[in-house]
Amino acid sequence: MADDGAISDGSDIYDGDTEIGSNTGSSSTSLSSESDLEERHAVGEQWVRNLFAEDDSDDSVFAGFQAAWKERDFVDRLTMDFRGIGGASVLHPPEANPGMYFDQFWTGEMWQQLVDETNRYADQERRRNPPPPSAPIWMPVATDEMRAFVGLCFAMGILRLPSRNDYWRVSNWLLKTNFGTVMARDRFNLIWRYLHLANNDAPGAEGDKLIKIRWFVDFLNDQFQAVYVPYGKYTVDESMVKFKGRLEFRQYLPAKPTKWGVKVWVLAESDTGYLSKFQVYTGRAPGGQERGLTHRVVTDLVDHLYGQYTQVYFDNFYTSPDLLTYLHARQVYACGTVRANRKNLPTALLPKNVNLQRHEFKVAQKDELSFVVWQDTKPVCVLSNFHDPTAMGAVSRRVRLGGGAQHVAVPAVVADYQKYMKGVDLMDQMVGYYIIQHRSKKWWRRIFHYLMMASAYNAYVVARDTSPEMVATEWPNFQDFLEEIVLWLVGEVRSRRDPAANPRPAPGAGRHDIVKMYEKKRTCIECSMSAAAGERRGTTKHGCQQCQQPVHLECVSTHFHRLFNL
């Protein structure tokens, strides 16, 4: 299991037991007391003011020169409005259906990549490990068939059965599905087996652990940002893709609902959960990181937002004064709960140094940073680089006796954090409801299905933004929308396993000779493909010399019919 160096426990509550290191030593060149330090900085600040103007009444001009945290006489901060233009970048006609929205993310380029690489991988594998004569015949997959395959995968997430083969049951009328009318079971299993996203023989970046899905990940990252722009408020958090097999960068997060799996860093819209940008975490980078893991994660996810004055919210795993100062300098507003052992926090207001009553709080300010410690069931520390320390809001809290809820007055930074920190959790919730859960030894399949379902949910968000009235009427729930995507992807694709009612000889059938090939009888390949569960399958010593498959004499016409698509 890869080592993060730090584990996010998902908790935003500080327990008050962490000790903070302090500098107690002194020297001849150090200041003797905190008051001396403040006095010296005040003298320096006044000297800078005198360089620029005789009138020093406007303190806001010199807001960046604060020497230490202060708990009163706060300086007003100018907060800029979001500079971007939120919403869908492509306008859809009023009659657009869910499939059209989904096709904005899974474009023709995506489908062609899936088809080409699946067919390539099937050829490579069948040359490397030739299948036995009794194995189902492989035929190259086409685009419409690949779309139907993905549609059936979506359907398996909606209608959950223990095994993939259960979807092709024919003996129990109560549990029958219509999967068999779209695609034969063996055909689906073959595409499942050979599904591939990248050419194994193509050169890749050295040490890239995601080489098998690199193209897929990069393509969807670009599409997610191109199709829709959130309205200025984001959440940064980690998401877990369930996987318990052997994997070098598998993670364990005990506080998460999904404890074992692949960690994905996610930037999502706070209000809707729209997945805007993501990174799959593959373990500690070689050589270490200059500013730390959390700093690197946040800056990588929000670097395209510089200069737009967007608001980004994250939990105490990421928040630090240095990170918020760094983002503020790049016109990115940030807010998050913060652990009390982070450097450069106001020591006097740390939970171990204050004794607050329930719902009482204290506020401090330093330059662009505002710090709040609020007593909930436990002390909560919140840090922001854009909130006014005097602004107030309200949160809802349960009443201990009698039940119900009450509104509690809190600083605006606490209220906004509670309101806008839900984005990634909302996205995880909607994806988790309908993601296909069938096991696979190939770890990348889990990420494929995760991003497949995230694409569908993103399409739902875009539809609600573009045609809110139609969505509320036609597809009020995400499942309704998802079912329409399934029908759109399946389209007119139907299973070819059923023979024609009156088979006739195929042109050119003479090229395939039915001869006696085996000493012991074998099960006819055509009977195996067409017989229902529990039906008797014909056995024979004959077979097709060219196909090297056993063929029952009564099934010769069916065999030719399938080969030549009559």
Side-chain angles (χ1 to χ4, degrees):
M1 184 179 70
D3 182 11
D4 299 56
I7 296 178
S8 171
D9 57 7
S11 172
D12 295 327
I13 305 298
Y14 169 69
D15 61 11
D17 296 329
T18 305
E19 293 294 330
I20 312 298
S22 60
N23 294 323
T24 57
S26 61
S27 65
S28 58
T29 59
S30 64
L31 298 176
S32 59
S33 68
E34 187 173 330
S35 60
D36 291 341
L37 177 64
E38 293 179 354
E39 181 180 357
R40 176 171 295 189
H41 279 290
V43 172
E45 181 179 337
Q46 184 61 45
W47 179 81
V48 174
R49 284 197 182 98
N50 293 337
L51 285 178
F52 292 94
E54 296 180 359
D55 183 7
D56 57 61
S57 59
D58 186 4
D59 287 343
S60 63
V61 176
F62 298 93
F65 291 94
Q66 287 180 217
W69 291 94
K70 59 182 182 179
E71 302 177 37
R72 57 184 179 274
D73 300 328
F74 300 132
V75 179
D76 293 338
R77 299 295 184 233
L78 178 62
T79 302
M80 304 295 292
D81 294 331
F82 173 54
R83 287 184 176 178
I85 301 177
S89 59
V90 178
L91 294 179
H92 295 77
E95 64 276 9
N97 60 45
M100 294 179 182
Y101 290 106
F102 182 77
D103 283 347
Q104 290 295 319
F105 299 96
W106 286 48
T107 63
E109 183 181 359
M110 166 73 79
W111 294 113
Q112 194 59 49
Q113 176 80 3
L114 291 177
V115 168
D116 291 345
E117 296 306 329
T118 298
N119 289 332
R120 189 200 312 274
Y121 181 66
D123 292 340
Q124 293 172 347
E125 280 295 293
R126 294 174 78 86
R127 284 198 302 267
R128 187 180 300 112
N129 300 305
S134 59
I137 297 176
W138 166 258
M139 298 179 65
V141 63
T143 302
D144 60 343
E145 198 175 18
M146 180 60 74
R147 289 172 64 91
F149 170 83
V150 172
L152 293 182
C153 288
F154 274 127
M156 289 179 178
I158 300 173
L159 176 64
R160 296 189 176 181
L161 295 177
S163 170
R164 288 201 311 272
N165 290 339
D166 289 339
Y167 293 95
W168 281 267
R169 284 183 178 178
V170 294
S171 58
N172 191 330
W173 67 268
L174 187 63
L175 299 176
K176 283 183 180 179
T177 70
N178 290 322
F179 280 53
T181 63
V182 176
M183 187 177 295
R185 179 198 62 194
D186 289 346
R187 180 60 175 169
F188 182 91
N189 287 336
L190 277 177
I191 299 177
W192 177 278
R193 175 182 178 184
Y194 294 125
L195 180 68
H196 221 61
L197 307 177
N199 184 4
N200 286 344
D201 296 335
E206 184 177 356
D208 187 2
K209 300 176 183 178
L210 300 177
I211 189 63
K212 287 185 176 295
I213 59 170
R214 175 57 63 192
W215 184 91
F216 182 72
V217 166
D218 291 344
F219 181 86
L220 284 184
N221 247 327
D222 293 339
Q223 290 301 111
F224 289 166
Q225 296 173 56
V227 174
Y228 176 84
V229 178
Y231 288 89
K233 291 180 173 60
Y234 295 82
T235 303
V236 172
D237 205 353
E238 60 266 19
S239 178
M240 289 291 286
V241 181
K242 186 176 181 179
F243 184 75
K244 292 186 177 181
R246 293 185 178 181
L247 183 63
E248 180 183 356
F249 49 89
R250 185 187 62 172
Q251 297 289 303
Y252 175 65
L253 297 183
K256 288 287 184 180
T258 301
K259 294 176 172 48
W260 290 97
V262 179
K263 183 189 292 185
V264 182
W265 310 112
V266 174
L267 176 71
E269 186 175 25
S270 296
D271 294 327
T272 65
Y274 180 92
L275 199 165
S276 182
K277 191 175 181 180
F278 63 94
Q279 284 185 352
V280 180
Y281 180 59
T282 58
R284 180 175 297 177
Q289 300 169 56
E290 181 180 355
R291 295 178 180 266
L293 172 68
T294 56
H295 188 284
R296 194 272 304 166
V297 168
V298 173
T299 53
D300 282 356
L301 290 177
V302 306
D303 57 2
H304 64 293
L305 304 177
Y306 290 168
Q308 298 183 23
Y309 293 103
T310 54
Q311 297 178 17
V312 183
Y313 295 83
F314 32 73
D315 65 23
N316 58 26
F317 179 61
Y318 307 89
T319 311
S320 68
D322 291 343
L323 174 60
L324 267 61
T325 301
Y326 180 91
L327 294 177
H328 189 274
R330 288 153 181 80
Q331 293 83 48
V332 175
Y333 293 145
C335 171
T337 53
V338 60
R339 297 176 180 176
N341 59 355
R342 300 294 193 192
K343 296 180 180 179
N344 302 323
L345 293 179
T347 305
L349 297 189
L350 294 180
K352 69 173 184 176
N353 297 327
V354 294
N355 185 17
L356 302 177
Q357 300 299 317
R358 184 173 174 82
H359 299 157
E360 187 182 358
F361 61 85
K362 288 185 177 294
V363 183
Q365 183 190 55
K366 177 182 178 182
D367 296 328
E368 68 277 357
L369 300 181
S370 298
F371 176 85
V372 173
V373 56
W374 173 58
Q375 181 69 34
D376 193 21
T377 54
K378 291 183 179 180
V380 179
C381 299
V382 187
L383 191 67
S384 172
N385 67 4
F386 69 97
H387 279 92
D388 184 345
T390 62
M392 297 296 293
V395 296
S396 179
R397 283 294 179 269
R398 291 183 180 179
V399 179
R400 289 182 176 180
L401 299 177
Q406 64 175 342
H407 291 286
V408 178
V410 295
V413 59
V414 177
D416 285 352
Y417 175 82
Q418 185 191 59
K419 182 178 180 180
Y420 297 118
M421 187 53 202
K422 64 183 181 180
V424 176
D425 291 338
L426 176 59
M427 187 273 299
D428 276 343
Q429 180 184 12
M430 302 307 295
V431 169
Y433 282 153
Y434 305 108
I435 190 172
I436 184 172
Q437 298 288 354
H438 295 152
R439 292 187 176 185
S440 174
K441 293 182 179 179
K442 297 181 178 179
W443 61 268
W444 62 264
R445 286 191 195 275
R446 287 286 187 170
I447 299 178
F448 175 79
H449 293 143
Y450 170 84
L451 294 177
M452 182 181 78
M453 190 58 65
S455 300
Y457 180 68
N458 279 0
Y460 186 53
V461 174
V462 174
R464 286 190 305 184
D465 180 77
T466 305
S467 304
E469 294 181 358
M470 185 174 183
V471 171
T473 303
E474 300 292 333
W475 318 293
N477 300 313
F478 178 44
Q479 180 176 328
D480 302 324
F481 189 86
L482 191 58
E483 290 173 358
E484 290 294 325
I485 291 179
V486 172
L487 296 177
W488 172 264
L489 293 176
V490 169
E492 300 299 324
V493 174
R494 294 298 179 266
S495 175
R496 297 180 180 178
R497 73 175 189 175
D498 296 329
N502 297 309
R504 55 188 175 85
R511 291 177 298 161
H512 288 254
D513 304 312
I514 305 300
V515 298
K516 186 175 181 180
M517 297 176 57
Y518 309 102
E519 295 183 0
K520 295 184 178 180
K521 288 185 177 182
R522 296 192 177 187
T523 302
C524 171
I525 183 64
E526 301 299 332
C527 289
S528 297
M529 296 176 65
S530 61
E535 287 186 357
R536 182 181 180 86
R537 292 166 172 78
T539 57
T540 180
K541 294 183 179 180
H542 289 77
C544 179
Q545 192 172 25
Q546 283 72 22
C547 296
Q548 290 295 303
Q549 296 282 359
V551 179
H552 201 228
L553 291 178
E554 285 77 7
C555 293
V556 172
S557 61
T558 303
H559 182 65
F560 289 157
H561 173 89
R562 181 172 60 81
L563 290 177
F564 296 93
N565 296 324
L566 292 179

